[in-house]
Amino acid sequence: MGSRQPGNTRSFALCSHGGAGKTTLAEAMLFCNGQIGRMGKTDAGNTVSDFQTEEQKRQISISTSLLTLERGDKTFFVLDAPGFADFAGEMSSSIRVADATVLLACAVSGVEVQTGRAWEFAEHNNAPVVFYISKMDRENANFARVLGDIKEQFSENALPAFLPIGAEANFQGIVDVLKGKAYLYEKDGSGKFSETDIPADLTEAAASAKEALLEAAVEMDDDLMERYLEGEPISEDELKRALRLAIVKRRAMPVLVGSALLNIGVHQFLDFVTDFFPSPLDRGAEKAILDGEEVLVKPDVDEPFSALCFKVMVDPYVGKLSFIRVYSGSLSSDGSSIYNVKKGEDERISSFKLMCGKDGKDVKDVIAGDIVAIPKLQSTKVGHSLATKGGASHQFARIEYPSPVYSVAIVAKTRADEDKLGNAISRTLDEDRGLAFEKNPETNDNLLSGMGDLHIDIVLSRMKERYGIELETRTPQVPYRETIRKTAEAQGRHKKQSGGHGQYGDVSIRYSPLERGAGFEFVDSIKGGVVPSNFIPAVEKGLREYMVQGPLAGFPVVDFRAELFFGSYHEVDSSEMSFKLATRLSFRKGIMDASPILLEPIMNVEVTVPDQYMGDVMGDFNSRRGRVMGMEAHGKLQVVKAQAPLAEMFRYAIILRSMTSGQGSFQMSYSHYEEVPSDIAQKVIAAHKQEEDEE
Ligand SMILES: Nc1nc2c(ncn2[C@@H]2O[C@H](COP(=O)(O)OP(=O)(O)O)[C@@H](O)[C@H]2O)c(=O)[nH]1
Ligand SMILES: [Mg+2]
């Protein structure tokens, strides 16, 4: 790699809806660059990028692959992100760490939903965007229509830099409008091409496309603008620099085109990356936080080393690999260690790896702008900032992940599986930030949450493959709660005074409802010592213990006050235990007399769908006891805001997908507890009775 410098680095994330051709384009780039002798196909499961067993089995990308291309004095880091909604987290983290985002739209299917999602992530990160219209060779491929969609849905700054020559079976090559040349390709996938003049029918379109790009470029520099308007010549280098700046500022979002499968236009794509994709220097400083203040981290090799871990992968052969983006300075792997700023821990490093799918090539030094993997770091997790001990101590803003929307309860198949569960889960969580795990203390369910059923399915098969653990899934239980609607008083008397040391406790407690969310309140209004003060804590403790399992259906009792107002005791026989038992008697009776009801969790749900599905989505909410709270238009997409009971939402990820042909996405978060309608409550209570009887 010789003496590398950040100015020669290009990193970009390939993002789109699943199936637009990202992995195939990545494969074609490796082929054109002479790094592989023959192009693999995703359908055949033999691409460099889709190397995981699950990816080959399902023929889709499920996690981001890093490919490193060395091209002349340039180094490209390509992040091939998965497009399915289930793996949106991988897409978001790739966009965050790359210096540019390439959004793909198929020349036939056009802009699809997950591409829109990627656009939102890119906007959010202020990431430079380049569009790539893929699959120009397919039947019904239409460059102009897809370009129109891109302009309409995303930005008028989408400006064609390539034009297709021909289309469908007659797609022959591309015009590079800035170079003013045409490139005609062999149809055999060999990637052989010849340079010619722009065909007559495209000269006009090429000239006006060039003008639009030049205008965007010269806007970046007053001096250039003046010379441009005066008709003075502008050198190629000046143009490259200015256009790169226009791309960084998102004033220009070049649109490229080609066919990766037939290997048409990929060479020019790579040249375009070299010339116009922003380098770390063009992209500029990265924001970080130091002692609560925002600081700017310059992509300068002379600054102290700092980096961000954005991905952790467990490879069956290599073990753990932590993927980092270096933001400043440089570091050599020779006897070096890396300092985890968040954890305050120093870890030795053995090597840095320039990754190409599953293969890594050891490299001694890394510099600002590099994206590499480090083997066997123990404490480093996704989102951790790295530095060297005594060096930089800023932390990069956290990587945002969409929150999990689909949960299942997991149950180990055997005792042996159960023993392995903890370890397997924690290693799996390290690797996959779109995943969450918790034990619900109320229902005792082991809840595994992810982005959808496909996601969970893949996680479970991976756990089986890697850790030999077999898990079954079932629908989680709803964490219902119980509360009361009116005030009731109940006496509880526990008395056992036959022979030996007796037991005696007697309490009268008043139970009254509190507002929703208030929890539990204990009031001691005993007068005249009718319950001696040393026993009162036992009464409160008893209540706190018993309220975990309410008398109505065994769920926690919430939002009530218990006022201990009367009782009696026995000089010898009273004890803490007797008062606790008396409290239990009072509690069960008092709650049942206070008009108890069941509460269920209500979720806030935000669904994003294309216009045409809005009616279906809203109608569906009615059928699941939901309330639509409002709607907002976001371009061609509608955001429906609603509330619905959790009990009705467990399978929503699957239902929404089939209702919208995969074009809808949603987010869900807990809002509040509400009374369960009585017909449903009756069923829950009956089910609980039956369970109790069986025990
Ligand atoms: N005709 C044609 N098919 C393509 C092209 N690029 C990709 N494909 C096919 O489209 C499908 C999805 O491609 P893939 O690269 O896996 O898409 P990804 O999900 O975006 O990574 C595969 O069957 C590819 O063979 C192309 O340029 N032309
Ligand atoms: Mg892919």
Side-chain angles (χ1 to χ4, degrees):
M1 308 249 297
S3 61
R4 294 188 305 126
Q5 52 188 63
N8 284 339
T9 301
R10 306 286 183 269
S11 62
F12 54 98
L14 299 175
C15 296
S16 74
H17 205 78
K22 299 174 293 292
T23 298
T24 308
L25 178 62
E27 189 80 1
M29 291 194 284
L30 290 172
F31 178 78
C32 279
N33 206 41
Q35 284 174 249
I36 51 176
R38 149 174 185 273
M39 263 184 72
K41 288 207 168 80
T42 44
D43 313 318
N46 61 355
T47 60
V48 174
S49 191
D50 287 350
F51 59 85
Q52 294 190 9
T53 325
E54 289 298 322
E55 302 188 287
Q56 293 171 348
K57 207 163 83 191
R58 295 167 205 258
Q59 294 167 10
I60 55 166
S61 310
I62 58 185
S63 73
T64 300
S65 299
L66 171 59
L67 309 170
T68 309
L69 276 73
E70 289 169 66
R71 193 168 167 80
D73 61 352
K74 302 284 184 292
T75 308
F76 296 177
F77 297 105
V78 185
L79 292 162
D80 175 19
F84 283 82
D86 284 46
F87 316 109
E90 292 280 305
M91 193 155 85
S92 141
S93 58
S94 307
I95 292 172
R96 163 74 192 277
V97 298
D99 284 320
T101 298
V102 176
L103 292 183
L104 283 83
C106 164
V108 182
S109 342
V111 174
E112 294 167 282
V113 166
Q114 288 306 312
T115 313
R117 195 110 183 262
W119 166 260
E120 277 169 25
F121 288 138
E123 284 231 297
H124 186 77
N125 283 287
N126 211 12
V129 168
V130 174
F131 293 100
Y132 178 76
I133 298 180
S134 62
K135 307 193 190 181
M136 257 325 279
D137 63 288
R138 275 185 65 193
E139 200 172 321
N140 294 322
N142 187 331
F143 178 78
R145 179 172 52 80
V146 178
L147 175 64
D149 284 354
I150 289 172
K151 280 182 177 283
E152 190 189 317
Q153 288 189 44
F154 300 139
S155 173
E156 281 295 327
N157 293 344
L159 305 173
F162 290 0
L163 297 175
I165 302 173
E168 307 179 293
N170 190 33
F171 178 54
Q172 303 157 38
I174 60 130
V175 169
D176 181 327
V177 305
L178 289 167
K179 288 212 166 86
K181 290 285 174 199
Y183 301 88
L184 293 176
Y185 275 76
E186 306 268 332
K187 286 292 191 91
D188 56 4
S190 64
K192 291 201 187 103
F193 63 90
S194 54
E195 186 181 291
T196 63
D197 289 334
I198 300 178
D201 60 332
L202 287 173
T203 44
E204 213 170 293
S208 72
K210 181 173 182 175
E211 197 176 307
L213 282 166
L214 287 178
E215 268 171 20
V218 298
E219 265 180 35
M220 296 294 126
D221 182 331
D222 287 345
D223 173 52
L224 271 189
M225 175 72 115
E226 214 164 285
R227 282 161 48 204
Y228 177 72
L229 292 178
E230 301 287 318
E232 284 173 32
I234 293 170
S235 78
E236 209 177 294
D237 279 344
E238 281 174 317
L239 172 67
K240 283 183 188 167
R241 204 184 49 90
L243 187 55
R244 279 221 288 276
L245 202 59
I247 294 173
V248 169
K249 296 261 186 279
R250 308 179 98 237
R251 168 64 183 85
M253 300 178 181
V255 181
L256 310 179
V257 63
S259 161
L261 195 69
L262 296 185
N263 212 340
I264 297 181
V266 182
H267 268 284
Q268 287 70 36
F269 184 106
L270 291 173
D271 288 344
F272 194 89
V273 173
T274 300
D275 291 341
F276 299 108
F277 274 39
S279 74
L281 300 183
D282 299 315
R283 185 73 195 272
E286 175 77 8
K287 285 179 193 151
I289 304 290
L290 179 63
D291 302 328
E293 305 272 328
E294 190 177 289
V295 292
L296 290 175
V297 180
K298 284 200 225 104
D300 188 332
V301 284
D302 297 326
E303 293 282 317
F305 171 82
S306 70
L308 173 68
C309 172
F310 67 97
K311 176 184 167 75
V312 172
M313 183 181 90
V314 180
D315 183 276
Y317 306 106
V318 188
K320 204 173 188 178
L321 283 175
S322 306
F323 289 72
I324 64 162
R325 150 87 199 219
V326 183
Y327 282 101
S328 63
S330 67
L331 190 64
S332 158
S333 62
D334 275 347
S336 231
S337 62
I338 206 157
Y339 183 72
N340 186 319
V341 181
K342 168 127 187 172
K343 293 221 153 172
E345 280 172 29
D346 212 24
E347 288 195 67
R348 283 195 59 81
I349 42 174
S350 49
S351 63
F352 296 114
K353 286 187 182 295
L354 291 178
M355 298 304 293
C356 209
K358 66 176 183 308
D359 299 321
K361 186 173 110 183
D362 284 351
V363 59
K364 249 198 186 147
D365 302 287
V366 290
I367 56 168
D370 283 351
I371 301 182
V372 297
I374 308 177
K376 299 195 170 62
L377 287 184
Q378 290 313 314
S379 61
T380 301
K381 298 209 167 114
V382 172
H384 286 179
S385 296
L386 304 168
T388 50
K389 203 166 185 181
S393 52
H394 53 254
Q395 294 192 40
F396 295 101
R398 63 188 197 93
I399 299 178
E400 286 175 40
Y401 283 85
S403 45
V405 290
Y406 177 76
S407 303
V408 293
I410 52 172
V411 189
K413 266 199 176 150
T414 64
R415 191 52 211 269
D417 289 324
E418 201 173 317
D419 292 342
K420 285 186 255 177
L421 183 65
N423 180 39
I425 284 280
S426 79
R427 289 166 74 171
T428 305
L429 290 176
D430 273 359
E431 211 184 328
D432 188 342
R433 282 283 307 274
L435 208 58
F437 180 78
E438 68 169 351
K439 188 169 184 95
N440 186 313
E442 292 178 18
T443 60
N444 265 329
D445 277 342
N446 282 320
L447 288 179
L448 186 64
S449 311
M451 305 308 297
D453 53 337
L454 178 65
H455 184 198
I456 296 290
D457 205 34
I458 285 170
V459 167
L460 295 180
S461 26
R462 200 188 277 159
M463 281 170 77
K464 184 172 165 191
E465 180 194 322
R466 287 214 189 126
Y467 310 114
I469 176 171
E470 292 216 51
L471 297 168
E472 278 170 0
T473 62
R474 50 179 176 69
T475 309
Q477 299 171 67
V478 179
Y480 290 110
R481 289 183 183 167
E482 300 177 14
T483 193
I484 52 176
R485 272 182 305 190
K486 58 176 211 201
T487 300
E489 296 175 357
Q491 185 190 14
R493 201 158 73 122
H494 176 72
K495 187 174 164 186
K496 226 182 190 172
Q497 291 174 307
S498 52
H501 201 311
Q503 297 176 19
Y504 184 90
D506 170 23
V507 292
S508 287
I509 302 173
R510 187 175 296 124
Y511 301 90
S512 40
L514 292 179
E515 66 187 61
R516 200 65 62 241
F520 169 64
E521 223 176 273
F522 177 71
V523 180
D524 163 19
S525 48
I526 288 295
K527 293 203 176 62
V530 289
V531 175
S533 57
N534 54 324
F535 294 134
I536 292 176
V539 174
E540 180 174 355
K541 206 167 150 226
L543 284 168
R544 290 194 185 272
E545 238 167 68
Y546 303 133
M547 63 190 251
V548 172
Q549 248 189 358
L552 184 61
F555 297 105
V557 187
V558 296
D559 305 341
F560 72 107
R561 172 188 295 133
E563 182 186 358
L564 174 63
F565 66 93
F566 197 65
S568 65
Y569 70 104
H570 185 273
E571 285 293 348
V572 181
D573 292 345
S574 281
S575 65
E576 283 188 11
M577 186 41 90
S578 343
F579 269 98
K580 254 178 98 173
L581 291 170
T583 301
R584 180 177 149 93
L585 294 173
S586 158
F587 176 74
R588 298 196 74 88
K589 182 167 183 313
I591 295 293
M592 289 312 281
D593 286 351
S595 176
I597 50 166
L598 278 187
L599 299 176
E600 63 179 339
I602 304 294
M603 310 303 282
N604 283 321
V605 191
E606 224 181 271
V607 190
T608 307
V609 285
D611 265 340
Q612 71 261 37
Y613 297 112
M614 205 175 55
D616 290 348
V617 165
M618 286 172 34
D620 178 71
F621 270 115
N622 291 332
S623 74
R624 46 188 81 245
R625 303 194 280 125
R627 285 187 291 268
V628 173
M629 320 289 280
M631 286 160 306
E632 270 168 37
H634 284 204
K636 274 192 180 168
L637 297 175
Q638 293 285 344
V639 178
V640 179
K641 292 184 177 171
Q643 290 193 330
L646 174 65
E648 305 285 338
M649 295 300 291
F650 286 126
R651 294 180 56 78
Y652 194 65
I654 302 169
I655 288 156
L656 181 67
R657 188 175 303 158
S658 73
M659 194 160 48
T660 62
S661 324
Q663 300 199 57
S665 63
F666 80 109
Q667 289 187 339
M668 185 161 85
S669 60
Y670 163 75
S671 169
H672 63 280
Y673 268 85
E674 240 173 58
E675 182 173 348
V676 179
S678 68
D679 51 327
I680 294 170
Q682 289 317 319
K683 282 186 202 146
V684 177
I685 294 166
H688 174 71
K689 285 252 151 57
Q690 197 184 340
E691 235 173 68
E692 252 184 351
D693 293 347
E694 279 165 13
E695 276 169 15

